[in-house]
Amino acid sequence: MKKIFVSFAALVLAAFIISSCEQEKYFDSSLLAGKWKSGTLFERYFDDGTGYSWDEGDDVREEEAQDFTWTLAGAELIKKEQMEIGDVEITKIFTVTELSSTTLKYNDDFGRGYTFTRVDE
């Protein structure tokens, strides 16, 4: 009886470990390059890991955009924005939930979701 209990406990533990080890999502960073729009917010990503963003709702045009560098590892998108005043760099970390040739979706650490659509030029 003791062997059955130990075997059952080991089986339950193994099932728990396997189910908790979700497969990490991987997104192709080459799909990120381009111009994206979400309402009045725009983001432009370049293949070299640089980009910039602007919000026309705040009366900011593309020529006045905020520069950033970016990396995409798995589902983690890291954007580092260089502030114009001083040498202050702000790091923002997002979790990508969808990335295709037409759609970019990511969430921030506060649970806010963003949905972008690729803009053809």
Side-chain angles (χ1 to χ4, degrees), residues 43-95:
E43 294 183 343
R44 185 182 293 273
Y45 295 84
F46 298 100
D47 286 326
D48 66 357
T50 63
Y52 51 83
S53 63
W54 70 99
D55 191 340
E56 292 181 351
D58 290 337
D59 199 29
V60 177
R61 299 184 182 276
E62 186 171 3
E63 301 80 38
E64 306 165 308
Q66 175 68 50
D67 292 329
F68 61 79
T69 59
W70 64 271
T71 56
L72 179 61
E76 184 178 70
L77 174 62
I78 300 173
K79 291 172 43 179
K80 295 182 179 183
E81 297 178 355
Q82 186 67 42
M83 303 310 293
E84 292 181 21
I85 301 173
D87 285 334
V88 178
E89 183 177 82
I90 297 176
T91 300
K92 297 180 180 179
I93 301 173
F94 303 96
T95 301

